[in-house]
Amino acid sequence: MAVVIPALLRGFVGAICAQAASSRLTPSALRHLTLSSVMKSKRKTDHLERTADVVRREVVSAAKVCGAADESPSVKRLRLLVADKDFSFKAGQWVDFFIPGVSVVGGFSICSSPRLLEQERMIELAVKYTNHPPALWIHNQCTLDSEVAMRVGGEFFFDPQPADASRNLVLIAGGVGINPLLSILRHAADLHRERANKGRGYEIGTIRLFYSAKNTSELLFKKNILDLVNEFPEKIACSLHVTKQTTQISADLKPYITEGRITEKEIRYHISRETLFYICGPPPMTDFFSKELESSHVPKEHIYFEKWWDFLGGTVVKNPPVNAGDTGSSPGPGRSHMPWSNEAHVPQLLSLRATAAEVCAPRAHALQQGKPLQ
């Protein structure tokens, strides 16, 4: 299967970079690009097919891997330098991920803040190990200076304007569902810094993160999350849940850890007219909390969700490597500004996702020297 993005996938530097920067696709061309890949695959789990009706930006940009590290036993973090200056995204969105020599197109959530892209022309991803070809390439073949192409899509995002009413955020994440929510958390922190430092911009309310994983080793981005909690204790709080912890919890994590799943009682405590709820995780989890919130009279327009799904068609890892950890899941359909109860009225859109990471540009040299990322 060949993806029709002529020169974009042939290289990152020189003339290709210039071509990527000037490349624009019309809606009809985008549709052709999507369908030209989809029509050559009979499987129903392809990212492009499942998200064919999801809004995408027109820019397709070349990008270059400038950092990579293990975020957990099963998740690899990437930082990518983006060629096209018009490439942009909203916190919570994902990218179509085009890999030279790999016929399947990936779909990975961005976990960095839009501010990082504005300032350094970089985005961050963190990809879970599965036997889906794009994820396999990232875990087994991707190196520093590897070249790819990307296009932004997705309808699950937080993008307030300066004059908008102040809102509190409750972010509910399960497993790798933390990724788009981390982007939103980081964006909210950036908005608060701007307001505090310059006295202008959007006034964010409080942000509460509920995040559940199998154990503390699979709680992604722990340090980043706790750094934000400590930087803005009056604004940001988190509750980290583990469901199958078998080892002792470290002293620095213990104050934030609850053993057991996130409960409806915890979430219900934070309901108010000023609060928006963003949920990302396995379908049963997103369905459960969406229904609980609606039954508690939260307005539908205040409930946003993103789901992740087990791969179908033989893409679940049957016998993963010993260090792969919990495998076999990937994010699914997301609707921004689309409450859960409207889901039956929109196409079933599955999008393969993975997430994003903490690989800073200055650390690329350290990575080349074999030094660990902090």
Side-chain angles (χ1 to χ4, degrees):
M1 180 173 85
V3 179
V4 184
I5 318 180
L8 283 173
L9 295 183
R10 298 178 198 160
F12 177 82
V13 295
I16 302 307
C17 186
Q19 181 174 350
S22 62
S23 176
R24 298 292 181 276
L25 298 179
T26 64
S28 61
L30 281 173
R31 184 71 174 171
H32 171 72
L33 175 106
T34 299
L35 292 180
S36 66
S37 293
V38 169
M39 289 170 63
K40 297 176 183 178
S41 173
K42 295 181 180 179
R43 293 194 312 146
K44 299 300 182 182
T45 55
D46 287 344
H47 166 66
L48 289 183
E49 183 172 7
R50 296 300 187 179
T51 62
D53 294 332
V54 176
V55 175
R56 286 169 163 82
R57 291 185 57 82
E58 293 185 359
V59 176
V60 179
S61 177
K64 187 175 187 177
V65 176
C66 60
D70 292 331
E71 174 62 26
S72 80
S74 64
V75 175
K76 176 154 291 200
R77 302 179 293 159
L78 296 181
R79 174 169 277 210
L80 298 112
L81 178 65
V82 179
D84 195 312
K85 293 182 179 179
D86 291 328
F87 179 98
S88 65
F89 73 96
K90 299 173 182 178
Q93 289 187 302
W94 42 259
V95 292
D96 295 329
F97 198 78
F98 302 96
I99 305 166
V102 177
S103 61
V104 180
V105 176
F108 302 132
S109 295
I110 304 168
C111 76
S112 51
S113 170
R115 188 68 51 87
L116 178 67
L117 179 65
E118 293 169 6
Q119 294 178 345
E120 301 185 36
R121 301 311 307 159
M122 295 185 187
I123 69 165
E124 297 175 341
L125 307 176
V127 179
K128 192 174 182 70
Y129 184 95
T130 70
N131 68 359
H132 190 249
L136 276 179
W137 179 86
I138 287 170
H139 278 262
N140 298 335
Q141 296 176 255
C142 177
T143 62
L144 293 180
D145 296 331
S146 288
E147 299 159 6
V148 298
M150 300 185 298
R151 175 180 55 190
V152 171
E155 299 170 339
F156 176 84
F157 55 79
F158 177 63
D159 183 40
Q161 301 307 299
D164 288 349
S166 179
R167 297 291 188 186
N168 303 320
L169 299 181
V170 172
L171 312 176
I172 307 171
V176 295
I178 185 61
N179 298 304
L181 298 184
L182 181 66
S183 178
I184 291 173
L185 179 64
R186 286 169 158 169
H187 184 48
D190 285 338
L191 292 172
H192 181 57
R193 288 190 193 97
E194 181 179 25
R195 179 84 179 187
N197 295 336
K198 300 180 180 180
R200 64 175 185 268
Y202 179 73
E203 183 176 1
I204 190 74
T206 60
I207 307 109
R208 180 84 190 202
L209 170 67
F210 294 89
Y211 176 23
S212 177
K214 183 174 66 175
N215 53 50
T216 53
S217 69
E218 290 297 334
L219 282 170
L220 308 179
F221 316 114
K222 296 182 287 291
K223 183 180 185 302
N224 310 107
I225 292 167
L226 295 184
D227 283 348
L228 290 175
V229 170
N230 292 326
E231 183 180 358
F232 303 116
E234 79 288 358
K235 281 287 183 182
I236 301 175
C238 73
S239 179
L240 307 177
H241 289 245
V242 291
T243 58
K244 296 180 181 179
Q245 186 73 20
T246 58
T247 59
Q248 187 173 356
I249 298 171
S250 63
D252 59 326
L253 278 180
K254 220 163 192 178
Y256 306 96
I257 296 289
T258 299
E259 297 201 45
R261 299 185 184 279
I262 303 167
T263 66
E264 61 271 31
K265 183 178 179 181
E266 293 175 273
I267 303 303
R268 201 178 297 126
Y269 179 79
H270 296 279
I271 292 175
S272 75
R273 287 181 296 179
E274 295 78 29
T275 301
L276 304 179
F277 294 85
Y278 285 81
I279 311 165
C280 185
M285 178 187 135
T286 57
D287 289 344
F288 174 79
F289 283 114
S290 297
K291 291 173 184 177
E292 284 294 324
L293 289 168
E294 190 181 62
S295 68
S296 297
H297 308 293
V298 175
K300 295 177 182 179
E301 62 271 17
H302 287 188
I303 304 170
Y304 311 110
F305 70 84
E306 184 99 302
K307 294 181 181 180
W308 57 265
W309 304 73
D310 283 342
F311 283 119
L312 304 176
T315 55
V316 176
V317 177
K318 303 295 185 183
N319 297 294
V322 174
N323 68 344
D326 183 21
T327 63
S329 300
S330 183
R335 310 301 297 181
S336 170
H337 308 294
M338 179 68 70
W340 76 273
S341 56
N342 284 357
E343 183 183 12
H345 305 293
V346 298
Q348 183 183 7
L349 304 174
L350 294 182
S351 67
L352 308 179
R353 293 256 209 236
T355 67
E358 257 322 294
V359 187
C360 297
R363 301 176 181 172
H365 178 70
L367 283 168
Q368 290 173 314
Q369 303 301 315
K371 298 176 182 178
L373 292 178
Q374 300 299 320

